Amino acid sequence: MTREFLLEIGTEEIPAKFLPGAIKQLEELAQKALDKEKLTYEQIRVWATPRRLVLSITGLPEKQADVTEEVKGPAKKAAFDAEGKPTKAVEGFARSQGVALADLLIKEVNGVEYVFARKEIKGRSTAEVMTELAPTFISGLSFPKPMRWAHYDFRFARPIRWLLCLLDDQVLEFKLENLVSGRLTYGHRVLGPGPFTVNHASEYRQLLLEKGYVMVDQEERRRQVWQQIQDLAAREGGQVEEDADLLEEIIYLLEYPTALCGSFEAEFLQLPDEVIITPMKEHQRYFPVRDQQGRLLNKFITVRNGTADYIEIVREGNEKVLRARLADARFFYEEDQKQPLAAYLPRLDKIVFQENLGTLGEKVQRIQNLTSYLAETLQVVAEEKEIAARTARLAKADLVTSMVYEFPELQGIMGRYYARLSGEREEVAQAIFEHYLPRFAGDMLPASVAGALVSIADKLDTIVGCFAVGIQPTGSQDPYALRRQALGICHILLQRGWHLDLPAAINRTYAAIADKPGLKLDREKTVVEVMEFFRLRLRYILMEDEGLAYDTVDAVLAAGYADLTAAAERARALAKVRQEADFADVQTAFTRVVNLAKKDEGGQVVNELLQEPAEQALLAAWQAFREESEELLRAGRYEEWFKQASQLRPVIDRFFTEVMVMAKEEDLRRARLALLRELAADLSAAADLSKLA
């Protein structure tokens, strides 16, 4: 017979963004605790609504299994004296383990005899164990912004109002601050407040749904909400694009979902789609509806936390709110068009970007200069340089428009619209939008050269500036989204195959920031830290996005990553070459060269001293490889480079077989070590193979 455990933490409304993490944490806490307590189970499920976190565990046994445990004590020679009498050490060990001296065992471990105590540990009842674990499940949860309430010291996402804890029909009673767990639960705050008595853990979900109007399983709510949205859209002759983030937020904002469809005046459709959709999604959490051709309809779908009763009143309220927001948006859009986009530029001089890095106007100037530098360095054609320069000039102008001030999510988007309306080239308008890309993980990258150049310039200016003034990301804190911006630069460079000298670009960026009076900055420290920051981002991309082995990536990055694109290409080439059957032998030969080269005494490769046939062969092979190596690396033919390096293995093996490197003659020893030093340096040009597992 198995048992079912149920723990409900009833709270005031928890922010939607806290709940996915809390669900994962609670499940992991339960798994680890049950494994530690040696309690088997069939399934662990965690449910969440705004007012509750619920842990359900099915298939628990009646009690823990009995176990036999052997505890190692002192060595036999320390446990008994020469006459075989027990010493104080073994007597103390026996007392601590609760066993008689006569019951101790002698067992051999790695050739040494030790004293062992064998204990039979009776399993405790599941009820006893789970009563102890329940409060630890609650205290083990962490939240981005926990809070205390009243005079209590305990912290949680929001104040806890009730605790339900059952094992089948048995209450597991524990105390947390002023609360004592019981069998009472509460339903929907309005429709079925409760309290309700839960007689058995198995009836909890159905009871809450039927009497409390709470659909406790978030996945069930997700299915219900999405199905209702699709059905309503189809009824209106339209369709709704899936938005996983918006859908997830909605399901954690309600307990009993009912979707409804509202409308707004068709005249608002004259506004750009983004101007309509942004207040819908970001402010009201509505789903926009499109026709079968993808055109926006004057319809929206939202989800209320309740039944269909009085749905018309709810619909009218939502329509009224959206109408007001769209009216504001139309006013801002019309006002912003009364002057060209370029006319907004002087206002940027009055907006502080960061107190040590100056205004947005100063940032724009730095972006312009850096864009010009990048275009020149990457050998962009003249027309693209011109487009990029104009884009860099106008990229931030929309930040001071009324529309973007009210709806910050539209930055770049409105810049594109206003640039078109101001008569700017279409390429400039599109690049203004693209310079913010990518905005999040998996987002599209700039499609145009100009958009890519300005995107890199903008992001690099922010990263270097923040590191220079000491506001680097720490732990989970990254207020300027520097990690995302560095990943964006990496992705753009890799996608376009651009070979940028990153240290040079960082130094150029730093120089513009260091010109500001009053700042005491450390150039060398900033460059080192920013380069390491990019190394970690590139490592993440190659391992997580491209699936390369960690040691392949580390070996390549150890050889240098000043050119991120070249480093990525070397990593891909090494990953391919490693699949060949004899590569392990090549790696072994390389490692022997590197290890002996570390003993180098600062000598020179003197050909006249290297007379042994094996060392003559290695000298000739190394010199031939060095001549070809530089050309292969310069041309980016990395796979071929690794294969050429692999061909040195036979002569390296012969050298170590026939030659005594650490010869007694000092000059000869120094010459041989110098040869290995030079060979190791050349073999490390593309990757440090000694880092391969």
Side-chain angles (χ1 to χ4, degrees):
M1 178 180 174
T2 60
R3 311 197 70 179
E4 181 174 348
F5 171 80
L6 183 71
L7 171 66
E8 181 188 49
I9 311 163
T11 69
E12 294 183 8
E13 278 74 3
I14 299 175
K17 62 183 178 181
F18 289 6
L19 290 173
I23 291 170
K24 183 178 180 182
Q25 284 186 65
L26 190 50
E27 184 174 359
E28 290 175 352
L29 284 169
Q31 288 174 344
K32 291 178 181 177
L34 293 175
D35 290 344
K36 182 179 179 181
E37 295 293 338
K38 297 180 174 58
L39 277 177
T40 59
Y41 57 90
E42 290 177 2
Q43 187 177 22
I44 296 176
R45 289 176 293 182
V46 180
W47 303 312
T49 78
R51 299 183 65 213
R52 71 201 72 231
L53 275 166
V54 184
L55 172 63
S56 168
I57 306 173
T58 57
L60 288 166
E62 289 283 349
K63 59 185 284 294
Q64 295 172 314
D66 297 337
V67 295
T68 299
E69 185 180 56
E70 289 187 352
V71 182
K72 188 172 76 170
K76 180 182 177 182
K77 63 182 180 180
F80 301 96
D81 60 19
E83 298 176 0
K85 296 180 179 179
T87 64
K88 290 185 177 179
V90 75
E91 289 175 347
F93 171 69
R95 280 196 304 273
S96 68
Q97 298 302 316
V99 298
L101 285 171
D103 294 331
L104 293 176
L105 307 173
I106 305 296
K107 296 180 69 173
E108 186 177 298
V109 179
N110 297 327
V112 179
E113 290 185 316
Y114 288 90
V115 173
F116 280 81
R118 177 178 292 169
K119 300 189 296 183
E120 299 292 334
I121 302 175
K122 295 292 183 180
R124 296 189 297 160
S125 71
T126 298
E128 181 183 353
V129 175
M130 297 309 295
T131 302
E132 289 181 4
L133 291 180
T136 69
F137 295 150
I138 304 172
S139 61
L141 294 172
S142 62
F143 299 92
K145 293 183 179 180
M147 63 185 296
R148 291 187 296 121
W149 56 98
H151 59 278
Y152 304 115
D153 292 328
F154 188 77
R155 291 175 177 268
F156 205 69
R158 288 297 182 268
I160 299 176
R161 294 308 187 201
W162 75 89
L163 295 168
L164 178 148
C165 193
L166 297 176
L167 186 65
D168 290 338
D169 59 350
Q170 176 186 356
V171 172
L172 302 185
E173 187 175 302
F174 65 90
K175 187 175 181 180
L176 184 68
E177 296 294 3
N178 65 321
L179 297 171
V180 178
S181 59
R183 62 170 72 250
L184 294 181
T185 186
Y186 293 80
H188 190 284
R189 189 179 287 278
V190 176
L191 299 176
F196 304 106
T197 299
V198 182
N199 294 315
H200 196 286
S202 62
E203 71 178 38
Y204 169 78
R205 288 176 62 190
Q206 196 63 27
L207 175 71
L208 266 186
L209 183 61
E210 292 179 356
K211 292 188 176 181
Y213 290 90
V214 173
M215 192 177 293
V216 72
D217 185 343
Q218 62 273 5
E219 294 309 316
E220 185 180 353
R221 294 200 304 276
R222 191 190 307 272
R223 289 189 295 271
Q224 287 272 358
V225 167
W226 185 236
Q227 188 61 55
Q228 290 179 29
I229 289 171
Q230 289 181 303
D231 291 345
L232 280 175
R235 197 179 306 162
E236 297 294 332
Q239 56 185 341
V240 171
E241 296 175 354
E242 187 170 356
D243 186 328
D245 292 338
L246 179 58
L247 182 60
E248 176 152 299
E249 183 179 11
I250 286 174
I251 68 168
Y252 289 122
L253 287 172
L254 44 77
E255 295 189 315
Y256 195 87
T258 300
L260 62 95
C261 183
S263 63
F264 55 91
E265 288 77 1
E267 62 190 57
F268 286 120
L269 293 175
Q270 297 173 11
L271 295 171
D273 283 4
E274 295 89 345
V275 174
I276 300 172
I277 292 171
T278 297
M280 274 192 193
K281 286 189 172 185
E282 303 297 333
H283 296 260
Q284 301 305 125
R285 300 180 183 89
Y286 298 164
F287 285 88
V289 182
R290 296 182 181 274
D291 65 17
Q292 299 304 319
Q293 287 71 46
R295 294 176 300 228
L296 201 62
L297 297 175
N298 62 323
K299 304 283 184 181
F300 67 88
I301 295 175
T302 186
V303 187
R304 72 170 299 192
N305 185 21
T307 64
D309 295 341
Y310 310 108
I311 200 77
E312 288 301 323
I313 297 175
V314 178
R315 178 184 294 109
E316 290 173 6
N318 281 276
E319 290 174 344
K320 183 178 180 180
V321 172
L322 181 60
R323 187 179 301 116
R325 288 200 174 275
L326 293 180
D328 287 345
R330 179 170 58 188
F331 173 78
F332 297 141
Y333 186 58
E334 292 172 352
E335 286 295 307
D336 287 342
Q337 294 179 56
K338 290 181 178 178
Q339 54 184 338
L341 184 61
Y344 288 95
L345 290 173
R347 298 188 191 179
L348 295 175
D349 295 328
K350 300 178 182 179
I351 307 295
V352 175
F353 167 63
Q354 201 278 332
E355 59 180 346
N356 291 316
L357 299 175
T359 66
L360 279 173
E362 291 174 295
K363 180 174 176 61
V364 166
Q365 186 61 53
R366 295 196 300 268
I367 293 173
Q368 286 182 265
N369 294 336
L370 189 53
T371 297
S372 176
Y373 166 79
L374 293 172
E376 193 68 34
T377 301
L378 296 171
Q379 300 180 342
V380 171
V381 298
E383 184 179 5
E384 293 290 357
K385 287 182 184 178
E386 181 182 342
I387 296 170
R390 185 60 177 171
T391 300
R393 176 70 176 152
L394 297 175
K396 302 298 182 183
D398 69 338
L399 295 180
V400 289
T401 62
S402 298
M403 182 70 79
V404 176
Y405 180 83
E406 182 70 17
F407 304 110
E409 303 87 355
L410 292 175
Q411 64 179 12
I413 295 171
M414 297 316 301
R416 176 172 57 185
Y417 280 112
Y418 292 151
R420 288 169 178 165
L421 293 168
S422 301
E424 299 289 342
R425 295 175 60 172
E426 175 59 28
E427 295 88 346
V428 172
Q430 183 62 23
I432 289 173
F433 164 72
E434 290 178 348
H435 96 279
Y436 282 108
L437 303 178
R439 296 158 297 185
F440 48 82
D443 192 18
M444 57 185 171
L445 299 176
S448 68
V449 171
L453 288 172
V454 180
S455 180
I456 294 173
D458 180 24
K459 293 172 174 59
L460 191 59
D461 175 79
T462 301
I463 293 168
V464 175
C466 287
F467 271 82
V469 300
I471 48 177
Q472 307 93 321
T474 56
S476 61
Q477 301 300 312
D478 189 5
Y480 287 86
L482 302 187
R483 294 186 184 94
R484 174 176 60 78
Q485 297 194 58
L487 282 170
I489 291 175
C490 292
H491 281 299
I492 292 170
L493 291 173
L494 297 186
Q495 183 208 45
R496 291 193 163 272
W498 279 346
H499 293 276
L500 177 68
D501 185 337
L502 186 57
I506 293 170
N507 273 287
R508 180 66 175 252
T509 308
Y510 177 92
I513 294 164
D515 284 343
K516 287 187 64 63
L519 286 183
K520 294 182 180 179
L521 307 179
D522 186 331
R523 175 191 292 266
E524 183 178 351
K525 179 174 179 289
T526 299
V527 174
V528 169
E529 289 180 348
V530 174
M531 284 298 297
E532 173 63 12
F533 192 63
F534 273 97
R535 185 189 73 82
L536 294 174
R537 307 287 85 72
L538 180 61
R539 187 176 189 269
Y540 176 87
I541 290 172
L542 294 176
M543 290 173 55
E544 300 300 324
D545 295 353
E546 300 195 20
L548 301 186
Y550 78 93
D551 54 343
T552 294
V553 176
D554 289 342
V556 165
L557 295 182
Y561 54 95
D563 181 340
L564 300 179
T565 302
E569 291 170 350
R570 297 200 314 270
R572 297 176 194 127
L574 177 57
K576 189 173 182 180
V577 171
R578 284 188 74 178
Q579 297 175 5
E580 298 185 2
D582 62 346
F583 187 80
D585 295 334
V586 175
Q587 180 185 343
T588 300
F590 172 87
T591 302
R592 292 184 70 185
V593 170
V594 171
N595 288 340
L596 262 176
K598 293 176 182 177
K599 300 180 180 181
D600 173 54
E601 300 172 358
Q604 300 293 321
V605 180
V606 182
N607 294 8
E608 294 76 12
L609 294 175
L610 304 176
Q611 295 299 319
E612 293 290 336
E615 58 191 1
Q616 285 276 317
L618 181 60
L619 176 64
W622 163 61
Q623 291 173 335
F625 172 72
R626 168 172 276 190
E627 291 179 6
E628 193 169 6
S629 170
E630 293 180 0
E631 176 57 31
L632 291 175
L633 292 176
R634 190 164 41 248
R637 293 154 59 188
Y638 301 119
E639 188 177 338
E640 189 175 343
W641 185 94
F642 282 115
K643 290 180 178 179
Q644 290 290 343
S646 299
Q647 292 177 10
L648 293 174
R649 184 182 65 82
V651 290
I652 292 174
D653 289 344
R654 180 188 174 192
F655 175 82
F656 284 121
T657 300
E658 300 180 12
V659 175
M660 174 64 69
V661 177
M662 304 304 289
K664 293 181 180 180
E665 299 86 347
E666 182 179 349
D667 288 347
L668 180 58
R669 182 178 69 250
R670 289 164 65 92
R672 287 172 175 171
L673 287 172
L675 173 60
L676 293 178
R677 179 196 68 218
E678 295 295 323
L679 177 59
D682 288 342
L683 288 175
S684 300
D688 181 356
L689 299 187
S690 66
K691 292 189 175 296
L692 297 180

